[in-house]
Amino acid sequence: MNDAQINQTTAESLSAAQNPKVREKRPIDILRERHGGMSPEMKEYYKEQTRIKQLLKEALARGAKTVPELARECGLEPSVTMWNLMAMRRYGKVVEEELRGEYYAYRLKEVK
Amino acid sequence: MDEFKKRYDGLVIGGGIAGMQAALDLAEQDYEVLLIEKDPSIGGVMIGLNKVFPTLDCSSCICTPRMAESVHHKNIKIQAYSEVTSIRRHDPGFKVTVRKKPRYVIEDKCIGCSQCELECPVDVPHEFDHGLGARRAIYIPHGNAIPQVATLDVDHCTFCGRCAKVCPTQCVDYTQEAEDVEVDVGAVIVTTGLNITPMDAKKEYGGGHLINVMNPLAMEAIQASNGPFGRPLRPSDGKVPRTIAYVQCAGSRDHTIGIPYCSRVCCMYALKQALLLRHYLHDVEITLYHMDIRAFGKGYEQFYRRVMNEGVNIVKGKVAKITEVENQDLLLRVERLDEGGRLEERRYDLVVLSQGLVPAWQGKGVLDIELGDDGFFKSISPKISPVLTSAEGIFVAGVAAGPKDIPDAIVEAGAAAMEAAIHLEGIGYREQVLTASQS
């Protein structure tokens, strides 16, 4: 931390102490500021990932499907479907079902 | 041995199997050792392997006990997620600067419960699975990671703050910053291991942009039952592969890519993977294209014969080109050396490039020791004591010194520990440090 940053942090702490309405920075805000927040690429990546996961969840809610079936139904590239589906599998949102020809089918994991 | 001391007898750079062995062998002689690992966990490449040749033992069943032994040894301090940024000669040993990268997690308070990881909203390609699987922005690298502590990848963080909210021990600390620590050491052992040849080294093979052309470490990951897909599947669409080709010498023994040497392990890991795929996928057809098979170690020739007997096609042929065709299948154009150079084209579901080994680190700006023509750290006495480098007091072991398999890396690590011990006694390191502290 350079002198200017130290002065700024000190000033913020003083103003917070003198005026209870000025909230002290939360640690997550400090981290965000230090790293300049989310990059535009990261914002786009996260937005697109959220959209894909939602599409996959909706398609799987209508029944178990293979990767090519999911890709067709969601209008996604099979490789993108595969990667996101396997991410959902890893974190317990999706489970593998039976083998259908050359592909395994996957379904949403039931939440008890 | 949790606290960071000001002085250690030995510094080991790199926490793979060779580094752990060197640290243990020094520590067992009652020397105090600092082991620095750049990744969040020790274990190196070996902990990411599925099984080892020729015994087909589970790799983590061999590596994990070594990891546990290292971390629990009273004479070893392991500092993971850290890098050595400078080594200066400082009589009687060296002054070393270690940069501790911020995990944004207080290591002593983290209980490895993964609550933060489960709560994190963003999936990121996981380095441990070579990008085939996902991790979260805050994550524990794998089930056998040591230390079993979360690390926040701030480049992929959404700054939502949810990981700190769910942490039962309040160990998430967003205010952490990188910290430089200086220590004195008497000897250095470099065990910084390997990378594989870049996938795009040979453009005609399509590695790096054709999704079903895989690197061998990614194949290790998908063969493991705890791998990214839970079973061997094609990354492009989840198809169970029915035809798989291995292309040998895809990243070594090739002057055109600047890697003329043999990487020594590619034949054996390809044979091992092919055999295991035959076990996992019973009706799979596997063809291994090679210039010649080099099965030089104990039990390796027998293993090679076993693989042939179990139905893997071993073909003497040079793959000239790989192109993607319909359904992201792959068309191989092969010169059949066993049939007088006849050209043939064959279609496969999946292709594995048997990439060679290149040094993971060459010490630029940190270590002033000579490199060989192959880019690995040079031994000044390759026949008599291959662990000696051009700098007195600095030793090298494992793949940092040149391509080798796991048993050879372990043996070399033991030799480096012994040379380091001889050096420490020779210079009277402890006595000199004691004298200096009293004067």
Side-chain angles (χ1 to χ4, degrees), chain A residues 1 5 25-39 41-43 45-47 49-50 53 66-69 71 77-93 96-97 99-106, chain B residues 104 117-118 121-126 129 131-136 138-142 152 154-162 165 173-177 211 225-231 233-242 327-328 349:
Chain A
M1 193 179 272
Q5 286 171 318
K25 272 187 190 160
R26 298 176 306 161
I28 190 69
D29 297 328
I30 294 170
L31 183 69
R32 184 189 291 114
E33 274 183 22
R34 277 184 191 159
H35 292 273
M38 282 170 79
S39 66
E41 296 80 19
M42 183 57 203
K43 276 183 190 163
Y45 174 82
Y46 182 50
K47 189 176 151 191
Q49 188 176 94
T50 307
K53 294 270 165 58
T66 65
V67 171
E69 287 167 352
E77 282 292 317
S79 59
V80 172
T81 307
M82 175 74 178
W83 192 86
N84 284 280
L85 188 70
M86 290 303 116
M88 291 166 77
R89 179 186 164 278
R90 178 182 171 124
Y91 288 104
K93 307 291 181 199
E96 185 184 280
E97 273 214 337
L99 186 62
R100 294 181 185 171
E102 296 174 312
Y103 297 89
Y104 281 90
Y106 298 87
Chain B
Y104 304 103
E117 184 170 359
L118 294 170
V122 60
D123 290 323
V124 179
H126 196 345
D129 295 334
L132 295 176
R135 61 164 170 82
R136 294 277 164 78
I138 188 163
Y139 66 105
I140 295 174
H142 51 87
L152 173 63
V154 76
D155 292 336
H156 289 99
C157 183
T158 61
F159 305 102
C160 65
R162 281 152 68 173
K165 282 185 192 141
D173 177 5
Y174 298 123
T175 65
Q176 281 186 358
E177 292 187 90
I211 189 167
S225 56
N226 62 348
F229 310 151
R231 60 177 71 249
L233 298 175
R234 214 159 74 141
S236 67
D237 58 2
K239 183 183 176 185
V240 178
R242 299 291 181 211
N327 201 27
Q328 291 180 297
D349 289 334

Side-chain angles (χ1 to χ4, degrees), chain B residues 91-372:
Chain B
D91 283 341
F94 303 90
K95 195 163 276 299
V96 175
T97 307
V98 176
R99 175 155 297 172
K100 294 164 71 179
K101 296 183 274 191
R103 285 183 191 263
Y104 304 103
V105 167
I106 302 164
E107 287 191 32
D108 293 344
K109 287 174 75 176
C110 180
I111 56 172
C113 67
S114 294
Q115 289 299 310
C116 54
E117 184 170 359
L118 294 170
E119 187 65 19
C120 179
V122 60
D123 290 323
V124 179
H126 196 345
E127 299 82 357
F128 189 69
D129 295 334
H130 305 276
L132 295 176
R135 61 164 170 82
R136 294 277 164 78
I138 188 163
Y139 66 105
I140 295 174
H142 51 87
N144 294 325
I146 288 180
Q148 193 71 198
V149 170
T151 302
L152 173 63
D153 164 12
V154 76
D155 292 336
H156 289 99
C157 183
T158 61
F159 305 102
C160 65
R162 281 152 68 173
C163 47
K165 282 185 192 141
V166 297
C167 178
T169 63
Q170 285 81 52
C171 71
V172 179
D173 177 5
Y174 298 123
T175 65
Q176 281 186 358
E177 292 187 90
E179 182 189 352
D180 286 341
V181 180
E182 275 207 337
V183 292
D184 289 302
V185 302
V188 178
I189 301 177
V190 183
T191 54
T192 42
L194 63 108
N195 283 332
I196 56 167
T197 319
M199 279 298 279
D200 60 355
K202 283 183 79 70
K203 306 290 180 207
E204 58 271 37
Y205 289 168
H209 74 275
L210 300 183
I211 189 167
N212 291 324
V213 175
M214 300 183 67
N215 85 53
L217 294 176
M219 176 50 85
E220 291 284 336
I222 68 165
Q223 284 192 347
S225 56
N226 62 348
F229 310 151
R231 60 177 71 249
L233 298 175
R234 214 159 74 141
S236 67
D237 58 2
K239 183 183 176 185
V240 178
R242 299 291 181 211
T243 52
I244 302 174
Y246 276 82
V247 180
Q248 297 307 108
C249 300
S252 346
R253 299 176 71 193
D254 190 338
H255 288 274
T256 66
I257 58 170
I259 303 176
Y261 54 83
C262 169
S263 289
R264 300 184 77 208
V265 292
C266 319
C267 288
M268 291 308 295
Y269 73 60
L271 290 167
K272 175 202 71 176
Q273 290 185 0
L275 182 66
L276 291 171
L277 283 166
R278 287 282 294 168
H279 294 174
Y280 298 143
L281 309 165
H282 299 288
D283 55 350
V284 68
E285 180 201 316
I286 303 179
T287 307
L288 195 145
Y289 294 103
H290 69 95
M291 295 198 281
D292 48 46
I293 293 291
R294 295 184 169 181
F296 57 88
K298 187 175 181 181
Y300 290 9
E301 182 69 17
Q302 293 90 325
F303 186 79
Y304 169 34
R305 293 187 183 286
R306 178 186 168 188
V307 174
M308 282 196 287
N309 291 338
E310 291 204 26
V312 174
N313 304 315
I314 313 283
V315 172
K316 194 171 176 68
K318 186 71 186 159
V319 175
K321 193 172 174 64
I322 302 172
T323 45
E324 195 175 74
V325 292
E326 308 86 56
N327 201 27
Q328 291 180 297
D329 289 353
L330 299 158
L331 191 69
L332 267 65
R333 189 173 170 78
V334 185
E335 182 188 0
R336 292 286 300 250
L337 302 174
D338 57 344
E339 295 180 8
R342 180 177 67 83
L343 291 177
E344 73 171 18
E345 287 190 339
R346 295 204 63 188
R347 189 165 168 159
Y348 292 91
D349 289 334
L350 203 59
V351 172
V352 181
L353 298 183
S354 290
Q355 298 297 91
L357 310 186
V358 294
W361 190 62
Q362 294 177 309
K364 272 181 193 154
V366 177
L367 264 182
D368 188 21
I369 59 178
E370 277 181 47
L371 300 176

